Amino acid sequence: MAASAGPGPAAPTHAELRRLAVATLDGNWEHDHTVPSRTLYPHQWSWDSAFIAVGLVHVRPDRAWRELRTLFAAQWTDGRVPHIVFNPALRVGSYFPGPEFWNSAAADGAPAAATSGLVQPPVHALAAWLAHRRAPSEESARALRRLYPRLVAQQRYLTVHRDVGGAGLACIVHPWESGVDNSPAWDAPMAAVPADVAVMRAYRRHDTAHADAAHRPTDLDYARYVAIVAAYRDAGYRDDDLAGRHPFLVECPLVNAALGAAEHALARIAPVVGADPGPHRDRAARITEALVERLYDPVTGTFHPRDLRTDRLIPARTALGLMPLILPDLPARQVAAVVTEACSARFGLSARMDRPLPSHDRTAPDFEPLRYWRGPSWMNLNWLLWRGLRGHGRPDLAAGLRQSMLDLVATAGCHEYFHPDTRAGLGSPAFSWTASLLLDVLAES
Ligand code: 9WN
């Protein structure tokens, strides 16, 4: 079957797309994990590994479980799952900021492996559940038994140590924790972080050696990224008194939707490992309730991050606002509102999409079609929304989005992100989660 009429007469078949995806993942496999990209991101990243496991299970189930096992072997004693696990075999300078900058060895409770001290959206329980459901086996049940207490500890870290707002949601302490690093959602809280772009003269950015600088965050963004990490690191990556001293504190709709979805996934995993699903269901309900209460704006009809330093919602309408749709218990009113927002001219979702889903409101003055999370289309946000639409009884829209995802890769290959009008490939050309999530959507009609 042809992938689509959209990309033109030479569109690859689904079998060809599948082969491309498998070759991409095989090429990025690194002894016990998959690198997101050989050039730009040569270590292991947290939420990448979860997305990678979702796709790998279709073709290399052993590796899917290995991927998650390796990541959780670097979990800190407080339960945090670091956003980067560094490969000690790589030369100094293969990524900035590297292990010497993070200095995790000096922090209490860090693992033997060098890691960052930040987290990323907790999509791992969902990934583990989907991997088991796709290919249940003795091995997958054993893997779940090993992972379950670690996944629970990850949730506890986020809901206890990171509940700076006091309402049961997790706050992020750095834009990198959202996974959508330079989203316009972070412009206002970032502008309040004191930083001097001149500090970047002391460092060598690795990303702009491998990707067009005009498609990446700016030097001023990086000066602030570095300043926020330094503040957290110099306090030993401790989470006590964050409100009193930390320069960036935000409740993100994606992180908290993932947090709630993780409790739903744990409720499904619990019976497999002999645990009680009840507490997970209760926690899931509380997270959804808090998310609606704190991050939904009835005036805009979408979700927004809350800046805890001002206690205000951040007005930017980014794709983050659509992500709570992954919550199975999102109330009907918010489901309808998010679907309306997704189908508006801002995001252009439809049963027959003529352009891909952007990461930011395409009608906004600060929409940038080439710059990273400020406009380009990303496979993981597409995939999360696709799952949400299926879960909330919108197979028509889910099918339109699925076709649009297939068209992206058919046009440009397994690129990291894509131009939201032309579908041109941007960033790294052989990007793991694009490949793995493609495998997952190919497996579902
Ligand atoms: C910083 C690896 C990661 C993704 C993030 C994406 C990008 C890193 C960077 O790459 O972030 O963590 O160097 O820009 O924004 O979502 O996990 O693919």
Side-chain angles (χ1 to χ4, degrees):
M1 193 191 9
S4 138
T13 63
H14 284 188
E16 285 165 340
L17 288 179
R18 193 169 193 275
R19 276 198 292 279
L20 172 69
V22 175
T24 302
L25 289 170
D26 284 351
N28 287 348
W29 176 251
E30 181 58 55
H31 74 280
D32 63 1
H33 66 277
T34 310
V35 297
S37 148
R38 287 268 165 211
T39 51
L40 269 172
Y41 315 110
H43 301 279
Q44 181 174 29
W45 260 261
S46 170
W47 77 328
D48 297 64
S49 284
F51 292 130
I52 288 164
V54 165
L56 267 185
V57 76
H58 295 282
V59 288
R60 312 262 188 260
D62 297 357
R63 270 195 211 160
W65 294 112
R66 187 85 193 273
E67 183 82 36
L68 293 173
R69 205 161 68 231
T70 304
L71 177 69
F72 278 84
Q75 187 168 33
W76 291 35
T77 54
D78 61 11
R80 93 182 69 194
V81 177
H83 100 292
I84 309 173
V85 183
F86 290 102
N87 176 352
L90 295 186
R91 62 171 178 79
V92 173
S94 55
Y95 178 76
F96 174 78
E100 62 294 337
F101 185 83
W102 295 94
N103 195 20
S104 59
D108 285 344
T115 74
S116 79
L118 302 176
V119 300
Q120 273 185 327
V123 284
H124 313 78
L126 176 64
W129 169 246
L130 293 178
H132 172 72
R133 200 181 62 177
R134 165 59 54 179
S137 66
E138 246 320 295
E139 196 212 345
S140 68
R142 210 174 23 248
L144 283 185
R145 279 195 293 277
R146 257 184 82 110
L147 275 174
Y148 176 78
R150 293 163 200 253
L151 292 165
V152 170
Q154 177 186 31
Q155 293 293 103
R156 200 177 310 118
Y157 172 72
L158 292 168
T159 50
V160 175
H161 294 247
R162 290 296 192 86
D163 184 9
V164 175
L169 297 184
C171 95
I172 56 172
V173 301
H174 195 294
W176 282 337
E177 295 204 308
S178 69
V180 301
D181 311 349
N182 69 339
S183 168
W186 314 136
D187 287 0
M190 279 279 275
V193 175
D196 178 355
V197 71
V199 300
M200 290 310 291
R201 286 200 212 115
Y203 302 111
R204 181 123 165 231
R205 280 179 68 174
H206 164 82
D207 57 327
T208 41
H210 294 277
D212 190 330
H215 302 178
R216 294 282 310 175
T218 63
D219 271 355
L220 182 56
D221 290 333
Y222 261 80
R224 292 193 167 115
Y225 294 155
V226 162
I228 304 170
V229 171
Y232 196 34
R233 178 198 61 202
D234 296 348
Y237 297 112
R238 281 182 296 98
D239 293 311
D240 55 291
D241 190 32
L242 281 171
R245 63 178 156 83
H246 195 70
F248 183 97
L249 295 167
V250 173
E251 288 173 352
C252 165
L254 165 55
V255 167
N256 284 290
L259 191 73
E263 290 297 345
H264 285 282
L266 286 167
R268 309 290 290 274
I269 292 171
V272 181
V273 303
D276 179 3
H280 296 301
R281 286 200 205 103
D282 294 347
R283 285 198 280 268
R286 285 203 296 274
I287 292 167
T288 301
E289 212 175 296
L291 187 83
V292 170
E293 173 69 31
R294 287 178 68 77
L295 306 187
Y296 179 73
D297 182 347
V299 175
T300 61
T302 190
F303 287 85
H304 299 261
R306 178 175 290 274
D307 186 344
L308 293 181
R309 303 201 57 92
T310 58
D311 201 23
R312 292 240 172 87
L313 292 182
I314 295 167
R317 299 173 87 126
T318 70
L320 290 174
L322 312 177
M323 297 298 122
L325 206 66
I326 62 171
L327 289 167
D329 56 352
L330 192 67
R333 176 191 291 258
Q334 279 72 33
V335 169
V338 167
V339 169
T340 301
E341 173 77 354
C343 292
S344 74
R346 287 183 279 279
F347 295 99
L349 174 68
S350 83
R352 291 185 66 83
M353 294 179 66
D354 52 6
R355 289 186 295 179
L357 183 89
S359 46
H360 182 40
D361 170 4
R362 58 166 85 245
T363 68
D366 54 359
F367 176 74
E368 290 187 71
L370 293 172
R371 203 187 286 280
Y372 216 38
W373 297 97
R374 304 182 70 88
S377 189
W378 287 78
M379 197 71 159
N380 62 338
L381 300 186
N382 276 267
W383 181 83
L384 289 166
L385 184 61
W386 172 69
R387 285 196 53 79
L389 290 165
R390 286 172 5 133
H392 287 286
R394 293 309 305 258
D396 50 337
L397 295 174
L401 193 55
R402 174 180 182 271
Q403 187 58 54
S404 174
M405 293 161 82
L406 296 179
D407 290 348
L408 284 176
V409 184
T411 305
C414 289
H415 262 272
E416 184 182 359
Y417 44 102
F418 304 87
H419 192 292
D421 296 326
T422 66
R423 304 192 185 99
L426 303 168
S428 170
F431 193 67
S432 295
W433 83 41
T434 302
S436 62
L437 298 176
L438 175 78
L439 286 177
D440 194 56
V441 294
L442 278 172
E444 312 270 339
S445 51

PDB file of all heavy atoms in Angstrom, residues 180-194:
ATOM      1  N   VAL A 180      10.729  20.462  25.481  1.00  0.00           N
ATOM      2  CA  VAL A 180      10.466  21.382  24.366  1.00  0.00           C
ATOM      3  C   VAL A 180      11.225  22.687  24.652  1.00  0.00           C
ATOM      4  O   VAL A 180      10.662  23.749  24.853  1.00  0.00           O
ATOM      5  CB  VAL A 180       8.954  21.609  24.121  1.00  0.00           C
ATOM      6  CG1 VAL A 180       8.263  20.292  23.819  1.00  0.00           C
ATOM      7  CG2 VAL A 180       8.262  22.256  25.305  1.00  0.00           C
ATOM      8  N   ASP A 181      12.523  22.571  24.611  1.00  0.00           N
ATOM      9  CA  ASP A 181      13.456  23.495  25.240  1.00  0.00           C
ATOM     10  C   ASP A 181      13.216  24.990  25.016  1.00  0.00           C
ATOM     11  O   ASP A 181      13.220  25.766  25.943  1.00  0.00           O
ATOM     12  CB  ASP A 181      14.876  23.170  24.764  1.00  0.00           C
ATOM     13  CG  ASP A 181      15.195  21.698  24.886  1.00  0.00           C
ATOM     14  OD1 ASP A 181      14.420  20.965  25.527  1.00  0.00           O
ATOM     15  OD2 ASP A 181      16.223  21.284  24.345  1.00  0.00           O
ATOM     16  N   ASN A 182      13.089  25.386  23.757  1.00  0.00           N
ATOM     17  CA  ASN A 182      12.979  26.831  23.494  1.00  0.00           C
ATOM     18  C   ASN A 182      11.573  27.206  23.042  1.00  0.00           C
ATOM     19  O   ASN A 182      11.387  28.160  22.293  1.00  0.00           O
ATOM     20  CB  ASN A 182      14.011  27.276  22.446  1.00  0.00           C
ATOM     21  CG  ASN A 182      13.671  26.716  21.082  1.00  0.00           C
ATOM     22  OD1 ASN A 182      12.949  25.730  20.982  1.00  0.00           O
ATOM     23  ND2 ASN A 182      14.164  27.341  20.024  1.00  0.00           N
ATOM     24  N   SER A 183      10.579  26.464  23.516  1.00  0.00           N
ATOM     25  CA  SER A 183       9.195  26.806  23.199  1.00  0.00           C
ATOM     26  C   SER A 183       8.898  28.248  23.619  1.00  0.00           C
ATOM     27  O   SER A 183       9.392  28.716  24.659  1.00  0.00           O
ATOM     28  CB  SER A 183       8.251  25.859  23.964  1.00  0.00           C
ATOM     29  OG  SER A 183       6.933  26.353  23.894  1.00  0.00           O
ATOM     30  N   PRO A 184       8.087  28.960  22.824  1.00  0.00           N
ATOM     31  CA  PRO A 184       7.687  30.315  23.235  1.00  0.00           C
ATOM     32  C   PRO A 184       7.027  30.313  24.625  1.00  0.00           C
ATOM     33  O   PRO A 184       6.968  31.362  25.285  1.00  0.00           O
ATOM     34  CB  PRO A 184       6.699  30.739  22.150  1.00  0.00           C
ATOM     35  CG  PRO A 184       7.117  29.936  20.948  1.00  0.00           C
ATOM     36  CD  PRO A 184       7.578  28.607  21.497  1.00  0.00           C
ATOM     37  N   ALA A 185       6.563  29.153  25.065  1.00  0.00           N
ATOM     38  CA  ALA A 185       5.977  29.061  26.408  1.00  0.00           C
ATOM     39  C   ALA A 185       6.970  29.495  27.478  1.00  0.00           C
ATOM     40  O   ALA A 185       6.567  29.938  28.556  1.00  0.00           O
ATOM     41  CB  ALA A 185       5.514  27.627  26.691  1.00  0.00           C
ATOM     42  N   TRP A 186       8.258  29.352  27.200  1.00  0.00           N
ATOM     43  CA  TRP A 186       9.253  29.655  28.250  1.00  0.00           C
ATOM     44  C   TRP A 186       9.842  31.060  28.112  1.00  0.00           C
ATOM     45  O   TRP A 186      10.688  31.450  28.901  1.00  0.00           O
ATOM     46  CB  TRP A 186      10.386  28.612  28.252  1.00  0.00           C
ATOM     47  CG  TRP A 186       9.896  27.203  28.178  1.00  0.00           C
ATOM     48  CD1 TRP A 186      10.402  26.204  27.406  1.00  0.00           C
ATOM     49  CD2 TRP A 186       8.788  26.626  28.881  1.00  0.00           C
ATOM     50  NE1 TRP A 186       9.670  25.048  27.582  1.00  0.00           N
ATOM     51  CE2 TRP A 186       8.677  25.284  28.469  1.00  0.00           C
ATOM     52  CE3 TRP A 186       7.849  27.109  29.809  1.00  0.00           C
ATOM     53  CZ2 TRP A 186       7.690  24.421  28.943  1.00  0.00           C
ATOM     54  CZ3 TRP A 186       6.853  26.255  30.283  1.00  0.00           C
ATOM     55  CH2 TRP A 186       6.787  24.938  29.857  1.00  0.00           C
ATOM     56  N   ASP A 187       9.405  31.815  27.116  1.00  0.00           N
ATOM     57  CA  ASP A 187      10.035  33.129  26.893  1.00  0.00           C
ATOM     58  C   ASP A 187       9.912  34.048  28.106  1.00  0.00           C
ATOM     59  O   ASP A 187      10.898  34.684  28.506  1.00  0.00           O
ATOM     60  CB  ASP A 187       9.436  33.824  25.663  1.00  0.00           C
ATOM     61  CG  ASP A 187       9.892  33.170  24.358  1.00  0.00           C
ATOM     62  OD1 ASP A 187      10.658  32.184  24.416  1.00  0.00           O
ATOM     63  OD2 ASP A 187       9.459  33.636  23.287  1.00  0.00           O
ATOM     64  N   ALA A 188       8.710  34.136  28.687  1.00  0.00           N
ATOM     65  CA  ALA A 188       8.543  35.069  29.806  1.00  0.00           C
ATOM     66  C   ALA A 188       9.333  34.604  31.030  1.00  0.00           C
ATOM     67  O   ALA A 188      10.147  35.378  31.572  1.00  0.00           O
ATOM     68  CB  ALA A 188       7.064  35.272  30.117  1.00  0.00           C
ATOM     69  N   PRO A 189       9.176  33.348  31.489  1.00  0.00           N
ATOM     70  CA  PRO A 189       9.993  32.961  32.654  1.00  0.00           C
ATOM     71  C   PRO A 189      11.493  32.990  32.364  1.00  0.00           C
ATOM     72  O   PRO A 189      12.286  33.330  33.241  1.00  0.00           O
ATOM     73  CB  PRO A 189       9.526  31.539  32.991  1.00  0.00           C
ATOM     74  CG  PRO A 189       8.668  31.082  31.858  1.00  0.00           C
ATOM     75  CD  PRO A 189       8.178  32.306  31.155  1.00  0.00           C
ATOM     76  N   MET A 190      11.891  32.721  31.128  1.00  0.00           N
ATOM     77  CA  MET A 190      13.327  32.776  30.793  1.00  0.00           C
ATOM     78  C   MET A 190      13.835  34.217  30.841  1.00  0.00           C
ATOM     79  O   MET A 190      14.974  34.468  31.236  1.00  0.00           O
ATOM     80  CB  MET A 190      13.565  32.205  29.397  1.00  0.00           C
ATOM     81  CG  MET A 190      13.623  30.696  29.361  1.00  0.00           C
ATOM     82  SD  MET A 190      15.239  30.082  29.869  1.00  0.00           S
ATOM     83  CE  MET A 190      16.111  30.196  28.299  1.00  0.00           C
ATOM     84  N   ALA A 191      12.984  35.170  30.402  1.00  0.00           N
ATOM     85  CA  ALA A 191      13.422  36.571  30.372  1.00  0.00           C
ATOM     86  C   ALA A 191      13.742  37.075  31.776  1.00  0.00           C
ATOM     87  O   ALA A 191      14.524  38.013  31.950  1.00  0.00           O
ATOM     88  CB  ALA A 191      12.346  37.441  29.731  1.00  0.00           C
ATOM     89  N   ALA A 192      13.146  36.430  32.775  1.00  0.00           N
ATOM     90  CA  ALA A 192      13.389  36.862  34.160  1.00  0.00           C
ATOM     91  C   ALA A 192      14.658  36.239  34.741  1.00  0.00           C
ATOM     92  O   ALA A 192      15.033  36.548  35.871  1.00  0.00           O
ATOM     93  CB  ALA A 192      12.177  36.494  35.020  1.00  0.00           C
ATOM     94  N   VAL A 193      15.313  35.352  33.995  1.00  0.00           N
ATOM     95  CA  VAL A 193      16.537  34.707  34.506  1.00  0.00           C
ATOM     96  C   VAL A 193      17.729  35.598  34.162  1.00  0.00           C
ATOM     97  O   VAL A 193      18.005  35.847  32.995  1.00  0.00           O
ATOM     98  CB  VAL A 193      16.732  33.308  33.859  1.00  0.00           C
ATOM     99  CG1 VAL A 193      18.065  32.696  34.286  1.00  0.00           C
ATOM    100  CG2 VAL A 193      15.565  32.392  34.196  1.00  0.00           C
ATOM    101  N   PRO A 194      18.445  36.096  35.183  1.00  0.00           N
ATOM    102  CA  PRO A 194      19.574  36.971  34.861  1.00  0.00           C
ATOM    103  C   PRO A 194      20.676  36.173  34.173  1.00  0.00           C
ATOM    104  O   PRO A 194      21.056  35.100  34.643  1.00  0.00           O
ATOM    105  CB  PRO A 194      20.054  37.469  36.235  1.00  0.00           C
ATOM    106  CG  PRO A 194      19.227  36.779  37.269  1.00  0.00           C
ATOM    107  CD  PRO A 194      18.275  35.839  36.614  1.00  0.00           C
TER     108      PRO A 194
END
